[in-house]
Amino acid sequence: MRVTLFDYGAGNLHSLIKALATTPGADVRVQEDPLRALDTDVLVLPGVGAFGSAAARLAPGREAMRKALDAGLPCLGICLGMQLLFEESDEGAGQGLGYFPGRVTRLAARHVPQIGWNDIEEDRALQSARLSTVYYAHSFVCRAVDAREVVGWTTHEGDRFPASVRRGNVLGVQFHPEKSSHAGVRFVQAFLQEVSS
């Protein structure tokens, strides 16, 4: 199973690569070209960076990537990667993939960024690897138009926002599973195993 991280050039991917590689049969690759990143069995949009610069790196392959997701290419979007699955962001210019309708806005809280552990409410992202507490590091959150696509919620200082969204084989998570201890790594493994079967 080829697993490709689309690298928008913003940060250390080591812990995510390590978590993905623990899945039996996973051949993990990193690709900076958004079109070449689509030559894969599973696409991963990692969670480090700013929306504007990541959207600019995505732009040459945006339409092709959106078509690939619509056609069934499995995708895991983490933190910023989840935000890129939406339409636009208040954090910066540029277009996301628009796979999920909605906008990314600043977290409505006194303490921003939210860094640390928090609970997930109503976790339905993966039946085989339910999560209760996960690690966050973010200042912006997705505001989903269709609540039916939200498969987990989190509340930070009264602001309730999607912890995870899912439609078909495309899963976005606002948290960092690769930094969420053994349960987070099992979550990554469960997603890869589910979409490869």
Side-chain angles (χ1 to χ4, degrees), residues 29-88:
R29 309 159 184 205
V30 177
Q31 178 56 252
E32 296 178 4
D33 182 320
L35 292 170
R36 294 176 72 182
L38 299 177
D39 181 20
T40 190
D41 299 312
V42 181
L43 176 66
V44 178
L45 303 176
V48 179
F51 187 94
S53 57
R57 294 285 289 269
L58 174 68
R62 191 174 75 84
E63 292 303 320
M65 194 173 286
R66 171 60 194 267
K67 286 179 183 174
L69 298 187
D70 286 338
L73 177 67
C75 178
L76 175 61
I78 296 171
C79 196
L80 173 61
M82 172 178 167
Q83 295 171 9
L84 287 169
L85 293 169
F86 282 76
E87 295 167 312
E88 295 178 308

Short mmCIF file of all heavy atoms in Angstrom, two decimals, residues 29-88:
data_model
loop_
_atom_site.label_atom_id
_atom_site.label_comp_id
_atom_site.label_asym_id
_atom_site.label_seq_id
_atom_site.Cartn_x
_atom_site.Cartn_y
_atom_site.Cartn_z
N ARG A 29 5.78 7.53 1.52
CA ARG A 29 6.59 8.41 0.67
C ARG A 29 6.20 9.86 0.95
O ARG A 29 5.10 10.14 1.41
CB ARG A 29 6.32 8.12 -0.81
CG ARG A 29 6.44 6.66 -1.17
CD ARG A 29 5.72 6.32 -2.44
NE ARG A 29 5.81 4.88 -2.70
CZ ARG A 29 5.71 4.34 -3.89
NH1 ARG A 29 5.51 5.10 -4.94
NH2 ARG A 29 5.80 3.05 -4.05
N VAL A 30 7.10 10.77 0.63
CA VAL A 30 6.84 12.21 0.75
C VAL A 30 6.97 12.81 -0.64
O VAL A 30 7.93 12.53 -1.36
CB VAL A 30 7.83 12.88 1.73
CG1 VAL A 30 7.59 14.39 1.79
CG2 VAL A 30 7.73 12.25 3.11
N GLN A 31 5.99 13.64 -1.01
CA GLN A 31 5.97 14.22 -2.35
C GLN A 31 5.62 15.71 -2.25
O GLN A 31 4.65 16.07 -1.61
CB GLN A 31 4.94 13.49 -3.22
CG GLN A 31 4.79 14.02 -4.63
CD GLN A 31 6.09 14.06 -5.41
OE1 GLN A 31 6.64 15.13 -5.65
NE2 GLN A 31 6.60 12.89 -5.78
N GLU A 32 6.42 16.55 -2.89
CA GLU A 32 6.18 18.00 -2.86
C GLU A 32 5.33 18.48 -4.03
O GLU A 32 4.84 19.60 -4.00
CB GLU A 32 7.52 18.74 -2.86
CG GLU A 32 8.34 18.47 -1.61
CD GLU A 32 9.69 19.17 -1.63
OE1 GLU A 32 9.96 19.92 -2.59
OE2 GLU A 32 10.46 18.95 -0.69
N ASP A 33 5.17 17.64 -5.05
CA ASP A 33 4.37 18.01 -6.22
C ASP A 33 2.95 17.50 -6.02
O ASP A 33 2.74 16.29 -5.88
CB ASP A 33 5.00 17.38 -7.47
CG ASP A 33 4.27 17.74 -8.75
OD1 ASP A 33 3.02 17.78 -8.75
OD2 ASP A 33 4.94 17.96 -9.77
N PRO A 34 1.93 18.39 -6.01
CA PRO A 34 0.57 17.93 -5.73
C PRO A 34 0.03 16.96 -6.77
O PRO A 34 -0.80 16.10 -6.42
CB PRO A 34 -0.24 19.23 -5.69
CG PRO A 34 0.56 20.21 -6.46
CD PRO A 34 1.99 19.84 -6.25
N LEU A 35 0.46 17.06 -8.01
CA LEU A 35 -0.02 16.13 -9.03
C LEU A 35 0.63 14.76 -8.87
O LEU A 35 -0.04 13.73 -8.94
CB LEU A 35 0.24 16.70 -10.43
CG LEU A 35 -0.59 17.93 -10.77
CD1 LEU A 35 -0.10 18.57 -12.07
CD2 LEU A 35 -2.07 17.57 -10.88
N ARG A 36 1.92 14.73 -8.61
CA ARG A 36 2.61 13.45 -8.42
C ARG A 36 2.18 12.78 -7.12
O ARG A 36 2.24 11.55 -7.00
CB ARG A 36 4.12 13.66 -8.46
CG ARG A 36 4.60 14.12 -9.85
CD ARG A 36 6.07 14.42 -9.87
NE ARG A 36 6.85 13.19 -9.79
CZ ARG A 36 8.18 13.17 -9.76
NH1 ARG A 36 8.87 14.30 -9.79
NH2 ARG A 36 8.82 12.02 -9.69
N ALA A 37 1.73 13.56 -6.16
CA ALA A 37 1.26 13.00 -4.89
C ALA A 37 0.02 12.13 -5.09
O ALA A 37 -0.30 11.28 -4.25
CB ALA A 37 0.95 14.12 -3.90
N LEU A 38 -0.68 12.31 -6.21
CA LEU A 38 -1.90 11.55 -6.47
C LEU A 38 -1.63 10.15 -6.99
O LEU A 38 -2.54 9.33 -7.07
CB LEU A 38 -2.79 12.31 -7.46
CG LEU A 38 -3.25 13.69 -6.99
CD1 LEU A 38 -4.05 14.38 -8.06
CD2 LEU A 38 -4.04 13.57 -5.69
N ASP A 39 -0.38 9.84 -7.33
CA ASP A 39 0.00 8.50 -7.76
C ASP A 39 0.25 7.67 -6.51
O ASP A 39 1.39 7.39 -6.13
CB ASP A 39 1.25 8.57 -8.66
CG ASP A 39 1.66 7.18 -9.15
OD1 ASP A 39 0.81 6.27 -9.15
OD2 ASP A 39 2.84 7.01 -9.52
N THR A 40 -0.83 7.29 -5.85
CA THR A 40 -0.74 6.65 -4.54
C THR A 40 -2.01 5.88 -4.26
O THR A 40 -3.02 6.02 -4.96
CB THR A 40 -0.49 7.72 -3.45
OG1 THR A 40 -0.17 7.06 -2.22
CG2 THR A 40 -1.72 8.61 -3.24
N ASP A 41 -1.96 5.08 -3.18
CA ASP A 41 -3.16 4.38 -2.72
C ASP A 41 -3.87 5.16 -1.63
O ASP A 41 -5.09 5.06 -1.48
CB ASP A 41 -2.78 2.99 -2.18
CG ASP A 41 -2.14 2.12 -3.26
OD1 ASP A 41 -2.70 2.05 -4.37
OD2 ASP A 41 -1.08 1.52 -2.99
N VAL A 42 -3.11 5.93 -0.85
CA VAL A 42 -3.67 6.76 0.22
C VAL A 42 -2.91 8.08 0.24
O VAL A 42 -1.67 8.09 0.28
CB VAL A 42 -3.56 6.09 1.61
CG1 VAL A 42 -4.18 6.97 2.69
CG2 VAL A 42 -4.21 4.71 1.61
N LEU A 43 -3.64 9.19 0.24
CA LEU A 43 -3.05 10.53 0.32
C LEU A 43 -3.16 11.03 1.75
O LEU A 43 -4.21 10.89 2.38
CB LEU A 43 -3.79 11.48 -0.62
CG LEU A 43 -3.36 12.94 -0.61
CD1 LEU A 43 -1.94 13.10 -1.14
CD2 LEU A 43 -4.34 13.78 -1.44
N VAL A 44 -2.07 11.63 2.25
CA VAL A 44 -2.09 12.21 3.59
C VAL A 44 -1.72 13.69 3.48
O VAL A 44 -0.69 14.04 2.88
CB VAL A 44 -1.12 11.49 4.55
CG1 VAL A 44 -1.12 12.16 5.93
CG2 VAL A 44 -1.49 10.02 4.68
N LEU A 45 -2.57 14.54 4.04
CA LEU A 45 -2.31 15.98 4.11
C LEU A 45 -1.89 16.28 5.54
O LEU A 45 -2.73 16.24 6.44
CB LEU A 45 -3.56 16.78 3.72
CG LEU A 45 -4.16 16.47 2.35
CD1 LEU A 45 -5.46 17.26 2.14
CD2 LEU A 45 -3.16 16.78 1.24
N PRO A 46 -0.61 16.54 5.77
CA PRO A 46 -0.11 16.68 7.15
C PRO A 46 -0.52 18.00 7.80
O PRO A 46 -1.07 18.89 7.15
CB PRO A 46 1.40 16.58 6.98
CG PRO A 46 1.66 17.04 5.59
CD PRO A 46 0.46 16.64 4.78
N GLY A 47 -0.19 18.12 9.09
CA GLY A 47 -0.78 19.17 9.89
C GLY A 47 0.14 20.26 10.39
O GLY A 47 -0.04 20.73 11.51
N VAL A 48 1.10 20.68 9.61
CA VAL A 48 1.97 21.76 10.07
C VAL A 48 2.01 22.83 9.00
O VAL A 48 2.13 22.53 7.81
CB VAL A 48 3.40 21.24 10.34
CG1 VAL A 48 4.30 22.37 10.79
CG2 VAL A 48 3.37 20.14 11.39
N GLY A 49 1.91 24.12 9.40
CA GLY A 49 2.03 25.21 8.45
C GLY A 49 0.86 26.17 8.52
O GLY A 49 0.00 26.08 9.39
N ALA A 50 0.84 27.10 7.57
CA ALA A 50 -0.21 28.12 7.49
C ALA A 50 -1.04 27.89 6.23
O ALA A 50 -0.53 27.45 5.20
CB ALA A 50 0.42 29.51 7.44
N PHE A 51 -2.33 28.20 6.32
CA PHE A 51 -3.25 27.90 5.23
C PHE A 51 -2.84 28.56 3.92
O PHE A 51 -2.84 27.92 2.87
CB PHE A 51 -4.67 28.33 5.61
CG PHE A 51 -5.72 27.89 4.62
CD1 PHE A 51 -6.41 26.71 4.80
CD2 PHE A 51 -6.02 28.67 3.50
CE1 PHE A 51 -7.37 26.30 3.89
CE2 PHE A 51 -6.97 28.27 2.59
CZ PHE A 51 -7.65 27.08 2.77
N GLY A 52 -2.50 29.84 3.96
CA GLY A 52 -2.19 30.56 2.72
C GLY A 52 -1.05 29.96 1.94
O GLY A 52 -1.16 29.73 0.73
N SER A 53 0.07 29.69 2.61
CA SER A 53 1.22 29.13 1.89
C SER A 53 0.95 27.69 1.46
O SER A 53 1.37 27.27 0.37
CB SER A 53 2.48 29.21 2.76
OG SER A 53 2.29 28.54 3.98
N ALA A 54 0.23 26.92 2.28
CA ALA A 54 -0.10 25.54 1.90
C ALA A 54 -1.05 25.52 0.71
O ALA A 54 -0.89 24.71 -0.22
CB ALA A 54 -0.71 24.80 3.08
N ALA A 55 -2.03 26.43 0.69
CA ALA A 55 -2.97 26.51 -0.44
C ALA A 55 -2.24 26.90 -1.71
O ALA A 55 -2.58 26.41 -2.80
CB ALA A 55 -4.08 27.50 -0.12
N ALA A 56 -1.23 27.76 -1.60
CA ALA A 56 -0.45 28.15 -2.78
C ALA A 56 0.31 26.95 -3.35
O ALA A 56 0.40 26.78 -4.57
CB ALA A 56 0.50 29.28 -2.42
N ARG A 57 0.86 26.12 -2.47
CA ARG A 57 1.58 24.92 -2.92
C ARG A 57 0.62 23.90 -3.53
O ARG A 57 0.98 23.15 -4.43
CB ARG A 57 2.34 24.27 -1.75
CG ARG A 57 3.47 25.10 -1.19
CD ARG A 57 4.71 25.12 -2.07
NE ARG A 57 5.42 23.87 -2.10
CZ ARG A 57 6.41 23.55 -1.27
NH1 ARG A 57 6.80 24.40 -0.33
NH2 ARG A 57 7.01 22.39 -1.38
N LEU A 58 -0.61 23.88 -3.02
CA LEU A 58 -1.63 22.97 -3.50
C LEU A 58 -2.23 23.41 -4.84
O LEU A 58 -2.65 22.56 -5.64
CB LEU A 58 -2.74 22.89 -2.44
CG LEU A 58 -4.00 22.10 -2.75
CD1 LEU A 58 -3.68 20.62 -2.83
CD2 LEU A 58 -5.05 22.35 -1.68
N ALA A 59 -2.24 24.71 -5.10
CA ALA A 59 -2.98 25.30 -6.22
C ALA A 59 -2.77 24.61 -7.58
O ALA A 59 -3.75 24.34 -8.28
CB ALA A 59 -2.69 26.79 -6.33
N PRO A 60 -1.53 24.28 -7.99
CA PRO A 60 -1.35 23.67 -9.32
C PRO A 60 -2.05 22.31 -9.48
O PRO A 60 -2.33 21.90 -10.59
CB PRO A 60 0.17 23.51 -9.44
CG PRO A 60 0.76 24.45 -8.46
CD PRO A 60 -0.23 24.53 -7.33
N GLY A 61 -2.32 21.66 -8.37
CA GLY A 61 -2.96 20.34 -8.45
C GLY A 61 -4.32 20.28 -7.79
O GLY A 61 -4.87 19.20 -7.60
N ARG A 62 -4.86 21.46 -7.44
CA ARG A 62 -6.10 21.49 -6.65
C ARG A 62 -7.25 20.77 -7.35
O ARG A 62 -7.93 19.93 -6.75
CB ARG A 62 -6.49 22.93 -6.35
CG ARG A 62 -7.60 23.05 -5.32
CD ARG A 62 -7.85 24.50 -4.93
NE ARG A 62 -8.56 25.22 -5.96
CZ ARG A 62 -9.89 25.22 -6.10
NH1 ARG A 62 -10.64 24.53 -5.26
NH2 ARG A 62 -10.47 25.90 -7.04
N GLU A 63 -7.50 21.09 -8.61
CA GLU A 63 -8.63 20.47 -9.32
C GLU A 63 -8.44 18.97 -9.46
O GLU A 63 -9.38 18.19 -9.26
CB GLU A 63 -8.82 21.12 -10.69
CG GLU A 63 -9.28 22.57 -10.63
CD GLU A 63 -10.58 22.75 -9.85
OE1 GLU A 63 -11.50 21.90 -10.00
OE2 GLU A 63 -10.69 23.73 -9.09
N ALA A 64 -7.23 18.55 -9.81
CA ALA A 64 -6.95 17.12 -9.97
C ALA A 64 -7.10 16.39 -8.64
O ALA A 64 -7.62 15.26 -8.58
CB ALA A 64 -5.56 16.90 -10.54
N MET A 65 -6.64 17.01 -7.55
CA MET A 65 -6.75 16.38 -6.24
C MET A 65 -8.20 16.26 -5.82
O MET A 65 -8.63 15.22 -5.31
CB MET A 65 -5.93 17.17 -5.21
CG MET A 65 -5.71 16.42 -3.91
SD MET A 65 -4.58 17.29 -2.77
CE MET A 65 -3.00 17.00 -3.56
N ARG A 66 -8.99 17.30 -6.05
CA ARG A 66 -10.41 17.26 -5.71
C ARG A 66 -11.11 16.15 -6.51
O ARG A 66 -11.92 15.38 -5.96
CB ARG A 66 -11.06 18.62 -5.98
CG ARG A 66 -12.59 18.64 -5.85
CD ARG A 66 -13.05 18.24 -4.45
NE ARG A 66 -14.47 17.94 -4.43
CZ ARG A 66 -15.41 18.82 -4.13
NH1 ARG A 66 -15.10 20.06 -3.81
NH2 ARG A 66 -16.68 18.46 -4.12
N LYS A 67 -10.80 16.04 -7.79
CA LYS A 67 -11.41 14.99 -8.62
C LYS A 67 -11.00 13.61 -8.12
O LYS A 67 -11.82 12.68 -8.12
CB LYS A 67 -10.99 15.16 -10.08
CG LYS A 67 -11.69 16.31 -10.77
CD LYS A 67 -11.23 16.46 -12.21
CE LYS A 67 -11.90 17.66 -12.87
NZ LYS A 67 -11.37 17.91 -14.23
N ALA A 68 -9.75 13.46 -7.70
CA ALA A 68 -9.29 12.17 -7.19
C ALA A 68 -10.04 11.79 -5.91
O ALA A 68 -10.43 10.63 -5.73
CB ALA A 68 -7.78 12.20 -6.94
N LEU A 69 -10.26 12.75 -5.02
CA LEU A 69 -11.01 12.47 -3.79
C LEU A 69 -12.46 12.12 -4.13
O LEU A 69 -13.03 11.18 -3.55
CB LEU A 69 -10.97 13.67 -2.84
CG LEU A 69 -9.59 14.10 -2.33
CD1 LEU A 69 -9.74 15.19 -1.28
CD2 LEU A 69 -8.79 12.94 -1.78
N ASP A 70 -13.06 12.87 -5.06
CA ASP A 70 -14.43 12.59 -5.47
C ASP A 70 -14.54 11.19 -6.08
O ASP A 70 -15.58 10.54 -5.97
CB ASP A 70 -14.92 13.62 -6.50
CG ASP A 70 -15.24 14.97 -5.86
OD1 ASP A 70 -15.49 15.01 -4.63
OD2 ASP A 70 -15.24 15.98 -6.59
N ALA A 71 -13.47 10.74 -6.73
CA ALA A 71 -13.46 9.43 -7.38
C ALA A 71 -13.15 8.30 -6.40
O ALA A 71 -13.14 7.14 -6.79
CB ALA A 71 -12.46 9.42 -8.53
N GLY A 72 -12.86 8.64 -5.13
CA GLY A 72 -12.67 7.60 -4.12
C GLY A 72 -11.27 7.43 -3.56
O GLY A 72 -11.04 6.52 -2.77
N LEU A 73 -10.31 8.30 -3.95
CA LEU A 73 -8.97 8.18 -3.37
C LEU A 73 -9.04 8.41 -1.87
O LEU A 73 -9.48 9.47 -1.42
CB LEU A 73 -8.01 9.21 -4.00
CG LEU A 73 -6.59 9.23 -3.41
CD1 LEU A 73 -5.86 7.93 -3.73
CD2 LEU A 73 -5.80 10.42 -3.94
N PRO A 74 -8.60 7.45 -1.06
CA PRO A 74 -8.60 7.65 0.39
C PRO A 74 -7.65 8.79 0.79
O PRO A 74 -6.56 8.94 0.22
CB PRO A 74 -8.10 6.32 0.95
CG PRO A 74 -8.39 5.33 -0.13
CD PRO A 74 -8.18 6.08 -1.41
N CYS A 75 -8.08 9.58 1.76
CA CYS A 75 -7.28 10.73 2.20
C CYS A 75 -7.46 10.93 3.69
O CYS A 75 -8.58 10.88 4.20
CB CYS A 75 -7.69 11.98 1.43
SG CYS A 75 -6.83 13.48 1.93
N LEU A 76 -6.35 11.19 4.38
CA LEU A 76 -6.36 11.56 5.79
C LEU A 76 -5.77 12.97 5.88
O LEU A 76 -4.61 13.18 5.53
CB LEU A 76 -5.52 10.58 6.61
CG LEU A 76 -5.35 10.91 8.10
CD1 LEU A 76 -6.70 10.94 8.82
CD2 LEU A 76 -4.40 9.91 8.77
N GLY A 77 -6.58 13.92 6.33
CA GLY A 77 -6.12 15.30 6.54
C GLY A 77 -5.98 15.57 8.02
O GLY A 77 -6.93 15.37 8.79
N ILE A 78 -4.81 16.04 8.43
CA ILE A 78 -4.51 16.25 9.85
C ILE A 78 -4.30 17.73 10.12
O ILE A 78 -3.44 18.37 9.50
CB ILE A 78 -3.27 15.45 10.26
CG1 ILE A 78 -3.55 13.95 10.11
CG2 ILE A 78 -2.85 15.78 11.70
CD1 ILE A 78 -2.32 13.07 10.28
N CYS A 79 -5.05 18.31 11.06
CA CYS A 79 -4.94 19.70 11.49
C CYS A 79 -5.03 20.63 10.27
O CYS A 79 -6.10 20.79 9.71
CB CYS A 79 -3.68 19.90 12.32
SG CYS A 79 -3.68 21.43 13.28
N LEU A 80 -3.94 21.25 9.84
CA LEU A 80 -3.98 22.07 8.63
C LEU A 80 -4.48 21.25 7.44
O LEU A 80 -5.19 21.75 6.58
CB LEU A 80 -2.60 22.66 8.34
CG LEU A 80 -2.46 23.40 7.01
CD1 LEU A 80 -3.40 24.59 6.92
CD2 LEU A 80 -1.02 23.84 6.80
N GLY A 81 -4.10 19.98 7.39
CA GLY A 81 -4.56 19.11 6.31
C GLY A 81 -6.07 18.98 6.28
O GLY A 81 -6.68 18.94 5.21
N MET A 82 -6.70 18.91 7.45
CA MET A 82 -8.17 18.91 7.52
C MET A 82 -8.71 20.23 7.00
O MET A 82 -9.67 20.28 6.24
CB MET A 82 -8.62 18.67 8.95
CG MET A 82 -10.13 18.85 9.17
SD MET A 82 -10.58 18.50 10.88
CE MET A 82 -12.24 19.14 10.97
N GLN A 83 -8.08 21.33 7.40
CA GLN A 83 -8.55 22.66 6.99
C GLN A 83 -8.47 22.83 5.47
O GLN A 83 -9.33 23.47 4.86
CB GLN A 83 -7.76 23.74 7.73
CG GLN A 83 -8.01 23.71 9.23
CD GLN A 83 -7.09 24.61 10.02
OE1 GLN A 83 -6.35 25.40 9.46
NE2 GLN A 83 -7.13 24.47 11.34
N LEU A 84 -7.46 22.23 4.85
CA LEU A 84 -7.33 22.30 3.39
C LEU A 84 -8.42 21.52 2.68
O LEU A 84 -8.66 21.74 1.48
CB LEU A 84 -5.96 21.78 2.95
CG LEU A 84 -4.78 22.71 3.25
CD1 LEU A 84 -3.46 21.97 3.03
CD2 LEU A 84 -4.84 23.97 2.39
N LEU A 85 -9.12 20.63 3.37
CA LEU A 85 -10.25 19.91 2.78
C LEU A 85 -11.49 20.80 2.68
O LEU A 85 -12.45 20.44 2.00
CB LEU A 85 -10.56 18.65 3.59
CG LEU A 85 -9.50 17.55 3.56
CD1 LEU A 85 -9.82 16.48 4.60
CD2 LEU A 85 -9.41 16.93 2.17
N PHE A 86 -11.47 21.95 3.35
CA PHE A 86 -12.59 22.90 3.32
C PHE A 86 -12.35 23.95 2.22
O PHE A 86 -11.41 23.84 1.44
CB PHE A 86 -12.78 23.53 4.70
CG PHE A 86 -13.49 22.61 5.66
CD1 PHE A 86 -12.82 21.54 6.24
CD2 PHE A 86 -14.82 22.78 5.96
CE1 PHE A 86 -13.47 20.66 7.10
CE2 PHE A 86 -15.49 21.92 6.82
CZ PHE A 86 -14.81 20.86 7.39
N GLU A 87 -13.21 24.96 2.15
CA GLU A 87 -13.19 25.89 1.02
C GLU A 87 -12.18 27.02 1.16
O GLU A 87 -11.36 27.24 0.28
CB GLU A 87 -14.60 26.46 0.81
CG GLU A 87 -15.59 25.38 0.39
CD GLU A 87 -17.04 25.82 0.48
OE1 GLU A 87 -17.43 26.38 1.52
OE2 GLU A 87 -17.77 25.60 -0.50
N GLU A 88 -12.25 27.72 2.27
CA GLU A 88 -11.39 28.90 2.47
C GLU A 88 -11.07 29.03 3.95
O GLU A 88 -11.71 28.41 4.79
CB GLU A 88 -12.09 30.17 2.00
CG GLU A 88 -12.36 30.23 0.51
CD GLU A 88 -13.11 31.50 0.13
OE1 GLU A 88 -14.16 31.79 0.74
OE2 GLU A 88 -12.63 32.20 -0.78
#
